[in-house]
Amino acid sequence: MIRFLQKSGQATKYVLGGLLLIICASMVITLIPGGLGGEVFSGNPGQGVIAKVDGGDISAEEVRSTARQMAQQEAQRYGEMAAKIMPFLIQQETTRAVDQLINRQALLSEAKRMGLRVTPEEVKDELQHGRYAATFFPGGNFIGQAEYEDMLQRVNLTPTKFEEAIGNDIVITKLQAFISGSASVSDAEIHAEFIKQNSKVKFDYAVLKQDDLRKGLHPTDAELKAFYETHKASYANSVPEKRKVKYAVIETGKAEAGVQVTPDDLRAYYDQHRDQYRVPEQVKVSHIWIKMPLPGADGKVDDKAVAEAQHRAEDLLKQLKGGAKFEDVAKKYSEDPGSANGGGSLGWIGRGQLAAEFEKAAFSLPKGQISDVVKSLDGFHIVRVDDKQEAHLKSIDEVKSQIEPVLKHQKGQQAAQKKAEALLKDARAQGLDAAAATQGVPVINSDFFGRKDMLPGLGPATQFMDAVFSEAEKSPADMAPASQGTVVFQLLAVKPASTPTFEEIRSRVEEEFKNERSSTLLSQKVQELSDRAKAEHDLKRAARELGATLKTSDFVLPDAQVPDVGSMSGQASVAFTLKPGEISGPINSGTDAVVLAVLEDQTPTDADYAAKRDQIRDQLLLQKQQERFGLFVAGLVDEMTKAGKIKKNAEEIKTLTKSSEQGM
């Protein structure tokens, strides 16, 4: 199908690498909210099949490939650390990849049932003008059929398979638009949300603190012993098991100091990880945006209003061509609040981040040039390209400083592991002390320690502690990893968990007694404060009588934080339902409790509403669209699961997940 897209002219060659599969994986992730559930296979599924969706297989290899690409995408956030944490990221993404592939197949099945289709022209447009344009149509010219097929072959794709994937993405986008497109927001909903977000209140509030009540508690031994007996079940075996070991540490850091990284090592690693060092094509852009008028109550956009918006944009373009400074025009007239104050700057952008029409202009303009008025679904843009960066592969010299520490660490780990295995073998034959002396490694004898304790020379050592506390008494020497290296150890003694006597934990019992009693007193006292204030119609007087601290707030919005009260979106949101002079019930905020009395309220003005109406409408509409599509997906999954059309192979998933963990 791609052949008819070819144009004349010398093509600029790009290396595709893992870009295509990463983009496909990211499309699925962003399109579909949440994960899909499913039943376990009954019967014997084919080996290597992770799931069946409407009769179609999802293979373990597909999951591994998708998880790897998703991990590579995620790794870009970690810079130099990416290579070290890549195994962890792959393991983390494996489960997500299973769900995402099932999601994709379920939605494609439903789209097919609904009769949604994609045309060759739509696939052509995506390839030529969408996020793949820089790869296959640099400068607007097709790279050529042979190069196109070669680039796809490098990531095990054929043109047919790749173009089918693009078509499927377009179909899913159509399905999402179909389901979400009917969402609408009424003027009443917009106004109600505006009032909710922008109303302000000012109030007095009386504060009671648990710490103050706690300080006044002086329990007797009799009270504490009674508390201990009442809560004795919670103290059962609360003194944890402890163990004593002797151990020797083979430190990875010392092993690293003795290894060398050769140029051949660097080259081999670089060749195997080239995809990590690819820099995508980017442009640094600024824009001036005039919003597209919103649809009316009938769901239609006024053509006259659209024409007026376009005319405004064209007038601004004339000002720029007449010598007006772009930054000044953007600050004064652009309707994008996120960029207007910065002179319209959007910074660096890559393919697939903004509307297709905007991208087409941004990536086709030379540096320093200003576009004509660009129309997109959300309005009219004037785009200026401030800088450009072509897609390229960093040279080995540029990334040498990143690769060398990774290789040094890997080699150090291998050397340390080999030395630890030799030490363990000798320790089992002649004892740890003698074996360690032969290798010149010190042996440390510990006192009794708990699983959460930290031993000298080890640092955090969860795997080591797990190994020690799973050993049987009188077991032979063993080894386990720790943050500093590998530990060869010998279990010496075990002290089982026990229940402490009252005398042994008197201070703990007293602490818990005071916490429980002061919490109860706080609840009682704040209720009394509220009741008394309401009865007397006077919060100040009630606060004075009960020793509460009285404070006054500023005018606050529903998203505010008030000292001693906390978030106004929590229990304190009751303030926005009270009239001036009314008093609240108890409001608990952790270790503090308050009662408040509303002094004044402020309702936002019509001018405020006019300024914020469009923004709130957009927020509510997006929220409704997401909710609607989420409900659709949930219903679809439930229906397909009940019908036996979505089935997971639990054993294969377990095997796949386990293999990804072992790869770490």
Side-chain angles (χ1 to χ4, degrees):
M1 190 276 288
I2 191 70
R3 292 183 184 277
F4 72 90
L5 295 172
Q6 188 165 357
K7 296 183 178 181
S8 60
Q10 182 63 34
T12 303
K13 296 187 177 181
Y14 291 81
V15 179
L16 186 59
L19 174 65
L20 306 180
L21 288 177
I22 290 175
I23 290 174
C24 288
S26 67
M27 277 183 165
V28 178
I29 295 167
T30 55
L31 281 170
I32 304 165
L36 300 184
E39 298 174 349
V40 177
F41 275 106
S42 58
N44 253 344
Q47 187 176 4
V49 176
I50 293 298
K52 283 184 179 291
V53 180
D54 203 14
D57 290 349
I58 295 174
S59 70
E61 184 53 42
E62 286 179 272
V63 174
R64 277 191 287 266
S65 177
T66 303
R68 186 165 54 250
Q69 300 300 335
M70 290 163 68
Q72 288 176 353
Q73 189 178 33
E74 178 70 12
Q76 294 175 13
R77 298 169 45 202
Y78 296 94
E80 295 181 3
M81 287 291 296
K84 291 185 179 180
I85 65 172
M86 182 59 70
F88 169 77
L89 292 176
I90 292 175
Q91 186 270 332
Q92 176 180 273
E93 298 294 353
T94 297
T95 301
R96 288 184 62 214
V98 171
D99 288 336
Q100 298 300 344
L101 289 168
I102 292 174
N103 292 350
R104 180 182 177 83
Q105 202 58 42
L107 288 174
L108 287 172
S109 175
E110 180 63 10
K112 180 179 179 181
R113 188 193 69 78
M114 293 172 62
L116 297 178
R117 298 289 185 270
V118 62
T119 66
E121 288 73 23
E122 289 172 310
V123 176
K124 167 189 172 182
D125 185 70
E126 176 64 26
L127 285 169
Q128 194 165 359
H129 301 115
R131 64 187 65 197
Y132 307 102
T135 303
F136 300 125
F137 289 86
N141 298 315
F142 182 45
I143 58 174
Q145 185 67 22
E147 180 67 7
Y148 171 69
E149 293 179 2
D150 180 61
M151 293 172 77
L152 292 177
Q153 188 176 9
R154 296 176 207 173
V155 288
N156 298 317
L157 287 172
T158 64
T160 300
K161 185 176 179 182
F162 176 58
E163 290 156 24
E164 180 184 1
I166 294 174
N168 287 340
D169 289 332
I170 295 172
V171 167
I172 291 174
T173 303
K174 286 183 178 182
L175 176 60
Q176 184 184 25
F178 178 81
I179 298 301
S180 304
S182 58
S184 63
V185 181
S186 68
D187 286 342
E189 289 174 306
I190 298 171
H191 192 265
E193 183 66 19
F194 166 73
I195 296 296
K196 179 181 176 182
Q197 291 183 14
N198 295 278
S199 294
K200 295 181 179 180
V201 292
K202 181 178 182 179
F203 52 86
D204 283 337
Y205 58 105
V207 184
L208 291 167
K209 291 184 174 292
Q210 185 175 343
D211 281 348
D212 293 338
L213 298 174
R214 196 176 181 283
K215 290 173 184 176
L217 296 175
H218 304 286
T220 65
D221 271 1
E223 288 177 309
L224 293 178
K225 286 179 180 177
F227 185 87
Y228 171 80
E229 291 299 329
T230 303
H231 296 76
K232 199 167 186 177
S234 67
Y235 301 129
N237 291 326
S238 61
V239 176
E241 175 187 344
K242 294 189 175 183
R243 297 195 166 202
K244 181 187 288 188
V245 298
K246 58 182 176 181
Y247 60 95
V249 185
I250 306 300
E251 296 181 39
T252 302
K254 290 183 178 179
E256 282 184 33
V259 300
Q260 296 294 323
V261 176
T262 68
D264 287 343
D265 294 332
L266 290 169
R267 172 56 65 180
Y269 186 93
Y270 175 77
D271 288 341
Q272 291 169 9
H273 299 82
R274 282 176 176 263
D275 289 343
Q276 295 179 23
Y277 308 121
R278 298 189 190 283
V279 180
E281 179 188 13
Q282 296 184 88
V283 289
K284 187 177 183 182
V285 295
S286 299
H287 82 143
I288 297 168
W289 178 38
I290 301 301
K291 289 182 181 179
M292 182 69 70
L294 294 170
D298 59 358
K300 297 180 180 179
V301 178
D302 183 358
D303 291 339
K304 184 178 179 181
V306 174
E308 289 175 355
Q310 184 171 359
H311 179 73
R312 287 170 57 203
E314 290 170 346
D315 182 63
L316 295 178
L317 181 61
K318 288 179 182 178
Q319 292 183 39
L320 295 173
K321 290 182 176 180
K325 190 175 179 181
F326 192 97
E327 287 78 6
D328 294 340
V329 175
K331 288 178 181 179
K332 189 172 182 179
Y333 298 107
S334 179
E335 295 178 348
D336 178 7
S339 68
N341 291 337
S345 177
L346 294 174
W348 290 95
I349 65 168
R351 297 278 183 179
Q353 292 181 227
L354 298 174
E357 300 87 351
F358 188 104
E359 271 190 21
K360 183 178 179 182
F363 282 90
S364 62
L365 288 171
K367 180 178 175 180
Q369 188 167 323
I370 297 174
S371 72
D372 291 330
V373 173
V374 176
K375 181 181 178 181
S376 69
L377 290 175
D378 61 359
F380 299 93
H381 308 261
I382 301 170
V383 183
R384 183 184 71 185
V385 174
D386 301 321
D387 203 353
K388 305 193 81 167
Q389 175 182 268
E390 296 297 328
H392 65 279
L393 176 68
K394 289 183 179 180
S395 70
I396 191 170
D397 289 335
E398 290 179 275
V399 298
K400 178 181 177 182
S401 61
Q402 300 174 31
I403 298 174
E404 195 162 18
V406 175
L407 289 175
K408 201 168 183 66
H409 184 69
Q410 289 178 352
K411 284 192 167 188
Q413 282 183 316
Q414 293 168 0
Q417 179 71 15
K418 187 175 181 180
K419 186 174 182 180
E421 290 171 354
L423 176 59
L424 177 63
K425 181 179 179 181
D426 292 344
R428 287 179 172 176
Q430 60 193 48
L432 180 57
D433 291 305
T438 301
Q439 288 202 18
V441 181
V443 174
I444 301 172
N445 286 272
S446 78
D447 293 325
F448 279 102
F449 60 90
R451 184 185 285 266
K452 295 182 179 179
D453 293 335
M454 194 174 294
L455 296 181
L458 296 187
T462 303
Q463 290 176 282
F464 168 75
M465 289 297 181
D466 289 344
V468 168
F469 280 84
S470 63
E471 288 283 349
E473 289 192 78
K474 299 181 181 179
S475 295
D478 206 343
M479 71 178 187
S483 59
Q484 303 299 320
T486 303
V487 187
V488 178
F489 67 92
Q490 178 74 56
L491 178 62
L492 301 178
V494 177
K495 188 183 288 186
S498 62
T499 301
T501 64
F502 169 74
E503 288 74 18
E504 288 174 323
I505 59 166
R506 186 188 185 286
S507 60
R508 173 184 167 186
V509 173
E510 182 174 4
E511 190 77 11
E512 293 177 358
F513 174 91
K514 288 182 176 180
N515 287 340
E516 184 178 293
R517 183 64 59 86
S518 61
S519 178
T520 301
L521 288 173
L522 181 66
S523 296
Q524 293 171 348
K525 197 165 184 178
V526 74
Q527 185 64 59
E528 182 183 357
L529 174 63
S530 175
D531 293 343
R532 187 174 296 192
K534 289 179 179 179
E536 298 172 347
H537 303 288
D538 192 336
L539 178 61
K540 292 182 180 179
R541 181 178 173 184
R544 186 169 58 252
E545 291 171 348
L546 292 176
T549 302
L550 190 72
K551 299 184 178 183
T552 303
S553 76
D554 297 324
F555 276 103
V556 295
L557 288 164
D559 60 355
Q561 292 278 340
V562 177
D564 298 317
V565 177
S567 172
M568 292 303 296
S569 62
Q571 292 184 41
S573 63
V574 69
F576 297 95
T577 69
L578 300 177
K579 298 176 182 178
E582 290 186 329
I583 297 170
S584 75
I587 297 171
N588 294 298
S589 55
T591 57
D592 297 336
V594 302
V595 174
L596 59 84
V598 174
L599 300 175
E600 299 179 65
D601 56 21
Q602 283 185 355
T603 302
T605 66
D606 290 341
D608 292 332
Y609 180 57
K612 296 183 178 181
R613 181 185 183 279
D614 289 350
Q615 179 184 350
I616 292 175
R617 179 195 179 280
D618 291 346
Q619 290 173 354
L620 289 177
L621 185 59
L622 178 61
Q623 180 182 327
K624 280 197 172 185
Q625 288 172 339
Q626 291 174 336
E627 289 174 354
R628 180 162 296 193
F629 193 60
L631 289 171
F632 168 77
V633 173
L636 172 64
V637 172
D638 184 60
E639 181 182 331
M640 293 182 71
T641 301
K642 288 178 180 178
K645 293 182 178 181
I646 294 179
K647 299 180 181 180
K648 289 184 179 181
N649 186 338
E651 288 302 316
E652 282 291 324
I653 292 173
K654 183 178 179 181
T655 300
L656 182 66
T657 306
K658 186 176 181 180
S659 67
S660 67
E661 290 174 351
Q662 291 173 344
M664 296 174 63

